[in-house]
Amino acid sequence: MSEDSLIEYPCDFPIKIMGKAEQDFAPITLAIVKHHAPDFDETTMEVRSSKSGNYLSITCTIHATSRSQLDALYRALTSHPMVSVVL
């Protein structure tokens, strides 16, 4: 285990992505995730609407292989204009 990470790689790592409920939000999010985690099984992607239906929450559990992979994925997601929050 790396000294600067509490995560032991490889591991399954859930990422929650939130943004406005727009038609392209889920496919764009999926494309970003698959770019950084090509082995992500899109059938496991969980999509939930907010009570009002204005926002979507997408959970993708990827098989993370390194901190640099996770960092790059977080940077790509948070820099996209459709994404509000990444947890």
Side-chain angles (χ1 to χ4, degrees), residues 56-77:
L56 286 180
S57 167
I58 297 175
T59 303
C60 298
T61 301
I62 68 162
H63 187 69
T65 57
S66 68
R67 180 172 178 165
S68 60
Q69 177 198 29
L70 282 179
D71 289 347
L73 175 53
Y74 271 87
R75 276 193 302 275
L77 287 167

Side-chain angles (χ1 to χ4, degrees), residues 1 7 9 19 26 29 31-32 53 57 64-65 72 79 85-86:
M1 184 160 76
I7 301 167
Y9 298 98
T29 300
I32 294 169
S57 167
T65 57
S79 67
V85 178
V86 180

